[in-house]
Amino acid sequence: MIVVADNLQVTNRIIEQALKDMDPVPIQDLVKQLEAAGAEAIDVNSGPLPRQGEEKMVFLVETIQQVSRLTLYLDTVNPRALAAGLRACRTAPVINGFSLEPAKLAWILPLAQEFNCDIIGYLLYPGGLVPAGANERLDVAVQLFQAYQEAGLDPEKLIIDPIVPPLMWQDGPAQAREVLTVIRLLPELLGFQVRTVAGLSNLTSGLGPSKKRLHLEEAYLAMLAAADLDMVLLNALHPRTISIARACQSITGSKIFSVVD
Amino acid sequence: MIVVADNLQVTNRIIEQALKDMDPVPIQDLVKQLEAAGAEAIDVNSGPLPRQGEEKMVFLVETIQQVSRLTLYLDTVNPRALAAGLRACRTAPVINGFSLEPAKLAWILPLAQEFNCDIIGYLLYPGGLVPAGANERLDVAVQLFQAYQEAGLDPEKLIIDPIVPPLMWQDGPAQAREVLTVIRLLPELLGFQVRTVAGLSNLTSGLGPSKKRLHLEEAYLAMLAAADLDMVLLNALHPRTISIARACQSITGSKIFSVVD
């Protein structure tokens, strides 16, 4: 399970301001912190970048690459900014991501083809709604994989995000368990070892900062690891969450870590 | 998932001395601490009690019952002491436990019949060795269930312990993953919702005290919970482990806990 930091996002005011001012320093400080904390990749969530999108995404990618060689997950719905960002990447990036939403199929999917890179597909309905249960998510997975294949893309470059539900939702805990089932069943359903990714912080969305929130994320992280999740997006500045991720890697054998040191 | 404290054991020197002196105070202090910490049941690991076994087990049970109403898991290989302890229990106890070892089948199993109580069966070979993989454990489970049924016991009173391996073992991580599979498969294999229990501290046996040890236990605890484990024996005096257990209960829905407080 690869740990992808979800901290570099435009909803963070420091990053928002740095992006506005084109100031590399706060961005590079954060990236260095994330790498030191144990992040193995970085999600670059720039938001939609309605103005100077290409310029800003290139600035982000180049700024990060000046201090880090970690894999970048480019996370924007703006296809022009995304294309510019992909072009600026020196090591193989990941597109985060597409869904059955017609605009994304039309504008994002071809970029995965053009840049021959990994791309995350979300198990969401075309209108953006989250499917309610395991069966509904698996139905969407079949449709998503079909659209993906029809675009002529390599199955091995697909990564599926089953969408972790907030526990706050009325059926949140039940859906969270169904997501574990979906992760387990996807390779059999699609007939190959499709990779999976999940956004951990979505689990506790709306709960506010608390110890309990972190415990819920830590517990669910281990459950995701046991379901053989390949990548997890999480707050890499929570040392305990990183420690639990390392412990999971020791147990699931996804990385060789000594269990004794 | 029910949290069973594994702290009350004769290998703890304070408990060893208290049992020798028949001094209830240190035992009651520990029991109160365990209950305050969140233990939902207590494993009473008296060891084999070679001398005055019946008297000492009755002393233990009565001493605990003076300060707590938690369910007691009576954990001794001494059948006479066990019988005396079961007789002294005011609330339904659990026998911990039996295996395919001939002496246990002959002496422990009939006590479950006589006292009509829950009993834990270990997935061990008759000589006490731990089966290597999931298939071997499932083979033993079938044999264990057969011996259990031949003794005329109620399937609903059986609880299976698949034996958590130490990660230190050469194939420890692989076995730890196989144990999760076994927990998942047992109900289907045996044809009813057989309950399962696991001893968490065995995972880190031999690793010595460290933060990493606790992280490994916490991660594996959540994996066990996701596999639908019914009861877990653990060190109830580690507040973080208890917090992770609570978080698991919130997610798996095995208990109604608010996710927000």
Side-chain angles (χ1 to χ4, degrees), chain A residues 167-168 173-174 176-177 180 184 203 206-207 210 212 214-220 222-223 225-226 228 240 243-244 246-248 250-253 257-261, chain B residues 167-168 173-174 176-177 180 184 203 206-207 210 212 214-220 222-223 225-226 228 240 243-244 246-248 250-253 257-261:
Chain A
L167 288 174
M168 286 276 282
R177 293 194 298 279
L180 300 174
R184 247 175 237 294
L203 187 79
L207 292 185
S210 74
K212 182 151 189 179
L214 288 184
H215 294 142
L216 289 165
E217 290 188 6
E218 288 155 15
Y220 195 60
M223 295 179 182
D228 283 330
R240 275 194 31 191
S243 297
I244 295 285
R246 291 277 173 272
C248 291
S250 298
I251 297 167
T252 61
F257 278 99
S258 164
V259 295
V260 287
D261 65 21
Chain B
L167 288 174
M168 287 276 281
R177 294 194 296 280
L180 300 173
R184 246 174 238 291
L203 186 78
L207 292 186
S210 73
K212 182 149 189 183
L214 289 183
H215 294 141
L216 289 165
E217 291 188 6
E218 289 156 13
Y220 195 61
M223 294 179 182
D228 282 331
R240 276 195 29 192
S243 297
I244 295 285
R246 291 276 173 273
C248 290
S250 297
I251 296 167
T252 62
F257 279 97
S258 164
V259 295
V260 287
D261 65 20

Side-chain angles (χ1 to χ4, degrees), chain B residues 181-202:
Chain B
T181 305
V182 168
I183 293 168
R184 246 174 238 291
L185 294 179
L186 278 172
E188 199 177 335
L189 178 79
L190 301 184
F192 72 104
Q193 278 299 322
V194 64
R195 288 169 299 163
T196 45
V197 66
L200 188 61
S201 58
N202 217 35

